[in-house]
Structures are given as C-alpha cells and as structure tokens.
C-alpha cells in the first residue's frame, strides 16, 4: 500500500552534518521525499508530537534535546514506507541498533537522559497522519 510517513532528522543529526547521508539512504532505498523544511520546534509542538512520553523521567531532557537546534522535517512516500523507514532507522537505542541502519552506523549513547538517536519515523498510519498534520499545518 502506498503510504506517507513523517521523517525527522533530529538536532544531533543536523549538528553532526548527517543530513546528506540520511537523505542519500532514503533516496537509495527508492522512497520519495514529497515535502521538506527545516525548523526549530516549539515546546507546544513537541508536547503534542510526544504526547505519550509527557511525564516520563526523560521527557524534560527529550524536549531540550529536540529544541537544541534545527530539525529537518520531511514527508516520505512509498509502498509500506512506515515500516520500511523504521527498518532503515534501526531500533530506538543506538547502542543496540544493528550495523547497516542509520542509528547503528551513525549513532551512539551519550550522557543524556533522552536517547539522542538522530532520526524519527511515525509508527503507524494513524500516527503518520497525526504527525504530518502537526508539523505541516
Ligand atoms: P519514540 O516515540 O519511540 O520515537 O520515542 C521518542 C524519543 O524519546 C526517542 O526517539 C528517544 O529520543 C526518546 N526516548 C524514548 N524512550 C526512551 C527511554 N526509555 N529513555 C530515554 N529516551 C527515550
């Protein structure tokens, strides 16, 4: 099924100069980037985007990490892109993410409460629709 998903390159990915490398992997895979912009997210937007994490011990650290610089925001499109992009990203914890994935190849853990893991992808069709509407109003 042709799907759309929200893809973010988080502030650590941008600061470390990985925008090109990440977009190269998306395009090499054959997915289309149909919208793209760069923004520093507001706390209000993050509270909505990360609604399920509000109140967790790492949440304040997650907000300051996500507001620490610009984020590249993209809408990707392709057959089964939601699960395909999550496979390309690798698992949440970059220490455990498999080599060959973005997080496995480019990420590591740091002494921060929130995991700095370079990229984000929606986890379902419903989340994708919700997140795309939040970031592209
Ligand atoms: P997710 O909704 O899975 O993308 O999680 C949101 C983000 O919160 C992750 O990408 C991490 O940056 C951070 N995060 C999620 N779970 C944890 C955790 N257990 N400890 C620290 N940071 C986390």
């Amino acid at each position: 099924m042709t799907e759309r998903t929200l893809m973010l390159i988080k502030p650590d990915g941008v600061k470390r100069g990985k925008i090109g490398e990440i977009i190269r992997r998306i395009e090499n895979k054959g997915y289309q980037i149909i919208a793209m912009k760069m923004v520093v997210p507001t706390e209000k937007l993050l509270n909505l985007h990360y609604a399920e994490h509000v109140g967790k011990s790492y949440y304040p650290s997650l907000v300051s990490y996500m507001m620490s610089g610009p984020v590249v925001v993209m809408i990707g499109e392709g057959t089964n892109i939601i699960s395909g992009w999550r496979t390309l990203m690798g698992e949440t914890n970059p220490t455990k993410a498999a080599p060959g994935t973005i997080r496995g190849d480019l990420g590591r853990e740091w002494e921060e409460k929130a995991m700095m893991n370079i990229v984000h992808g929606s986890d379902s069709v419903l989340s994708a629709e919700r997140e795309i509407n939040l970031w592209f109003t």
Side-chain angles (χ1 to χ4, degrees):
M1 189 176 56
T2 300
E3 294 173 339
R4 288 182 176 181
T5 195
L6 185 84
M7 302 159 135
L8 302 178
I9 304 176
K10 298 182 177 184
D12 52 331
V14 174
K15 278 185 204 142
R16 292 181 46 218
K18 303 301 180 194
I19 297 174
E21 171 67 21
I22 292 165
I23 290 177
R24 186 185 65 77
R25 289 177 185 225
I26 295 168
E27 293 192 327
N28 279 351
K29 183 74 176 172
Y31 295 138
Q32 228 106 37
I33 296 168
I34 61 166
M36 176 159 61
K37 65 180 180 181
M38 212 170 183
V39 297
V40 179
T42 62
E43 189 167 353
K44 191 177 158 205
L45 171 63
L46 293 170
N47 287 342
L48 294 167
H49 175 80
Y50 283 133
E52 72 207 67
H53 300 274
V54 174
K56 299 268 169 63
S57 61
Y58 56 81
Y59 189 70
S61 166
L62 177 58
V63 170
S64 59
Y65 157 44
M66 290 298 292
M67 292 181 74
S68 66
V71 172
V72 176
V73 192
M74 297 171 283
I75 301 174
E77 188 177 82
T79 306
N80 286 326
I81 191 173
I82 293 172
S83 100
W85 171 234
R86 290 176 74 83
T87 302
L88 283 186
M89 290 193 299
E91 71 173 90
T92 303
N93 182 337
T95 297
K96 294 183 183 159
T101 65
I102 292 168
R103 290 167 173 161
D105 288 348
L106 310 177
R108 51 164 280 198
E109 283 181 278
W110 303 85
E111 294 301 321
E112 303 286 334
K113 269 204 172 141
M115 259 173 238
M116 297 171 67
N117 56 7
I118 311 173
V119 279
H120 165 82
S122 312
D123 64 5
S124 66
V125 173
L126 264 183
S127 313
E129 206 177 292
R130 188 180 75 84
E131 293 174 1
I132 287 169
N133 288 330
L134 280 176
W135 289 82
F136 290 91
T137 40

